[in-house]
Amino acid sequence: SIGKGLFSFCRGLTSLDLPSGITSIGDEAFGACNSLTSLDLPSGITSIGDEAFSGCGLTSLELPSGILSIGDGTFWGCDNLTSLAIPFGVTSIGDMAFGYCFNLASLNIPSSVTSIHMYAFAYCSGLTNLVIPSGVTTIAGYAFYGCSGLTSLVIPSGVTTIVRNAFSGCSGLTSLNIPSSVTSIGESTFSGCSGLTSLVIPSGVTSIEKSTFRGCSGLTSLVIPSGVTSIGESAFSDCSGLTSL
């Protein structure tokens, strides 16, 4: 195993050969190794700790097939990372796992993933399209916050809850299909989604929370279901293009 923080802040490290017998990489093991641009991970690795590669200079990485989860902040701040292969078998993507990976343009989330945590892809402004796996039922708070480059997003039919600020600042989104299974949409969920032009809120939603659509300046029409009983403060504030409601 590679212990916690073993190579952290080794800013001059440009390459490293890992032996085949390694099975685990500890928390912050390669944290802030900003000159490390490539790394081959042995196939026997089954565990990668929190913030293991945070702030690294990695441009791409292939994770071994034995990995079952991506921990909190694992790739946080890897702003040179452009692509990553997540293996089938991973079930959970932790808090801020890919936060601030500005240049991450290509990412396939395997169908095995059932849990995407808070801030998981926050400020991944290079992502243009993403398919959320069918096993995910809750989209956590701030999960895709500030993903301004995102133009296409598929939300699966099993999702029931979208937590606050989940898509806030996704200004590149022009259309979005919210599945009928969704019954709860949190505060500020779509705030700053200035590219959205129309949206249909599912019939099971009973309240529109505070600032849900604030700053959606491109929104021209919105369908509010008959079951909605309350609309929160500033829910449609700064929706300057809204003509039909």
Side-chain angles (χ1 to χ4, degrees), residues 1-7 18-27 29-30 42 44-49:
S1 67
I2 295 177
K4 179 178 180 179
L6 187 62
F7 297 102
L18 299 179
S20 60
I22 288 175
T23 58
S24 67
I25 296 175
D27 296 352
F30 297 96
I45 291 176
T46 57
S47 173
I48 296 176

Side-chain angles (χ1 to χ4, degrees), residues 12-56:
L13 189 65
T14 57
S15 65
L16 187 70
D17 291 326
L18 299 179
S20 60
I22 288 175
T23 58
S24 67
I25 296 175
D27 296 352
E28 304 169 23
F30 297 96
C33 290
N34 57 357
S35 296
L36 187 63
T37 57
S38 65
L39 187 67
D40 289 328
L41 298 180
S43 59
I45 291 176
T46 57
S47 173
I48 296 176
D50 295 346
E51 300 186 37
F53 299 102
S54 61
C56 270

Side-chain angles (χ1 to χ4, degrees), residues 42-100:
S43 59
I45 291 176
T46 57
S47 173
I48 296 176
D50 295 346
E51 300 186 37
F53 299 102
S54 61
C56 270
L58 293 170
T59 57
S60 64
L61 193 69
E62 184 171 345
L63 298 177
S65 60
I67 299 293
L68 299 179
S69 66
I70 296 175
D72 296 346
T74 300
F75 298 99
W76 178 87
C78 289
D79 52 14
N80 291 324
L81 193 66
T82 58
S83 65
L84 185 82
I86 300 176
F88 181 82
V90 168
T91 59
S92 174
I93 298 175
D95 293 353
M96 197 61 84
F98 296 96
Y100 295 91

Side-chain angles (χ1 to χ4, degrees), residues 147-171:
C147 289
S148 56
L150 205 58
T151 57
S152 172
L153 181 73
V154 177
I155 301 175
S157 59
V159 168
T160 59
T161 304
I162 302 175
V163 185
R164 65 174 299 164
N165 291 91
F167 301 105
S168 182
C170 291
S171 55

Side-chain angles (χ1 to χ4, degrees), residues 106-215:
S106 175
L107 184 71
N108 177 48
I109 303 176
S111 58
S112 56
V113 170
T114 57
S115 180
I116 297 174
H117 292 263
M118 289 182 67
Y119 294 96
F121 297 97
Y123 294 107
C124 287
S125 53
L127 282 176
T128 57
N129 60 81
L130 204 62
V131 176
I132 298 172
S134 59
V136 173
T137 57
T138 298
I139 298 175
Y142 301 86
F144 300 96
Y145 185 90
C147 289
S148 56
L150 205 58
T151 57
S152 172
L153 181 73
V154 177
I155 301 175
S157 59
V159 168
T160 59
T161 304
I162 302 175
V163 185
R164 65 174 299 164
N165 291 91
F167 301 105
S168 182
C170 291
S171 55
L173 276 178
T174 56
S175 64
L176 186 67
N177 177 45
I178 304 176
S180 59
S181 55
V182 171
T183 57
S184 176
I185 298 175
E187 289 182 12
S188 303
T189 293
F190 300 103
S191 63
C193 289
S194 56
L196 282 176
T197 56
S198 64
L199 200 67
V200 177
I201 300 172
S203 60
V205 173
T206 57
S207 66
I208 296 174
E209 303 295 336
K210 177 181 177 181
S211 300
T212 299
F213 299 98
R214 183 170 191 157

